[in-house]
Amino acid sequence: MIWILLVFSSTFLGYQLIPLFRITNLTILPRFFSGWLLGSIGTGIVFYITSYIIPISFLHSFLIIIAQISGSYFLMKSKRTYKSNLLIDPNPWFFFLIIFTAGISLSYLAKIYRKMPNNIPNIMVPFYDDEMSFITSVLYGCNRRRSNPFFFKNPRISNFIYYGYPVPLLYTAGLMSLGASYSDASIIICFMNIMVTTFTFYYISKKYIHW
């Protein structure tokens, strides 16, 4: 379960970086969800840059965790950050929405991803094949030591560039290098993104729609 540390460290770093964008007075949940988005994307970009020099491995990912926790601690102790208010929206509909969405999404994601690769929905087969081939090539294959600092090779077609979305897949590869399965990594990433989307819609509707 060491891979959980990467989820924590990237979210914590994003959480501490929010004030640097002059975003102030966020309560803990908006800042947490914003921190996850910022931190996970930022970590994927870090993997994109550093994987050109050092192949993604357990040590590589663990060093990134240490760097992120250290950076988060430095920002937390500096005067550029602030402590978020721990108040949570008391609206009962908010609690219902969060609990309902979390329960349904976890149940649905587990039902889909726990059966992989033995049982894959037909609509997901192209995505699964593409993602697994790229992640495997980064961890063990042709992209483990890439020759081009900007592009990856297409692991399924020789002499072609990979035109997919490498940054989120590199974050997944980092989790898998720490012991997560593809299913575990996909469930946690999808779950967090669903919760971010749910909270964003709730926040926007509350701000601009009269309840």
Side-chain angles (χ1 to χ4, degrees):
M1 298 292 286
I2 296 178
W3 58 272
I4 291 291
L5 289 176
L6 183 60
V7 177
F8 168 78
S9 64
S10 56
T11 304
F12 189 40
L13 180 60
Y15 183 91
Q16 298 299 336
L17 286 172
I18 294 297
L20 300 183
F21 294 90
R22 299 183 183 278
I23 302 174
T24 59
N25 300 324
L26 284 179
T27 57
I28 190 167
L29 279 182
R31 189 174 170 186
F32 170 79
F33 288 132
S34 301
W36 155 255
L37 280 180
L38 181 62
S40 60
I41 294 173
T43 302
I45 294 173
V46 170
F47 274 121
Y48 178 85
I49 297 171
T50 58
S51 63
Y52 176 67
I53 304 170
I54 307 172
I56 296 179
S57 62
F58 179 92
L59 179 61
H60 184 175
S61 300
F62 195 73
L63 289 175
I64 287 179
I65 291 174
I66 294 174
Q68 288 180 332
I69 293 177
S70 300
S72 301
Y73 181 80
F74 172 78
L75 289 172
M76 186 173 63
K77 292 297 182 181
S78 70
K79 295 181 180 180
R80 296 183 178 182
T81 188
Y82 61 88
K83 292 183 178 181
S84 291
N85 195 320
L86 295 178
L87 291 177
I88 298 177
D89 193 331
N91 191 329
W93 284 107
F94 172 73
F95 288 100
F96 171 78
L97 179 65
I98 293 297
I99 295 173
F100 177 79
T101 304
I104 292 297
S105 59
L106 278 176
S107 175
Y108 181 74
L109 291 171
K111 184 178 180 180
I112 292 177
Y113 284 104
R114 288 301 184 192
K115 295 180 180 179
M116 291 185 176
N118 298 322
N119 188 4
I120 306 174
N122 291 332
I123 195 173
M124 293 185 64
V125 170
F127 302 101
Y128 175 80
D129 290 343
D130 181 73
E131 291 183 3
M132 278 304 298
S133 62
F134 178 79
I135 293 170
T136 302
S137 74
V138 168
L139 294 175
Y140 313 108
C142 60
N143 285 312
R144 180 170 172 78
R145 294 184 180 275
R146 71 182 195 269
S147 56
N148 192 310
F150 302 107
F151 301 104
F152 291 87
K153 296 178 181 178
N154 191 322
R156 305 174 71 185
I157 307 176
S158 300
N159 301 321
F160 277 80
I161 293 173
Y162 181 72
Y163 287 106
Y165 40 94
V167 170
L169 293 182
L170 290 172
Y171 187 79
T172 305
L175 293 174
M176 293 177 66
S177 71
L178 293 169
S181 65
Y182 175 79
S183 297
D184 291 334
S186 298
I187 288 173
I188 190 65
I189 291 172
C190 290
F191 173 73
M192 291 297 292
N193 289 338
I194 289 171
M195 296 307 294
V196 168
T197 304
T198 301
F199 185 84
T200 301
F201 277 121
Y202 172 82
Y203 180 80
I204 292 174
S205 65
K206 182 181 178 181
K207 186 174 183 179
Y208 295 103
I209 300 175
H210 181 70
W211 290 49

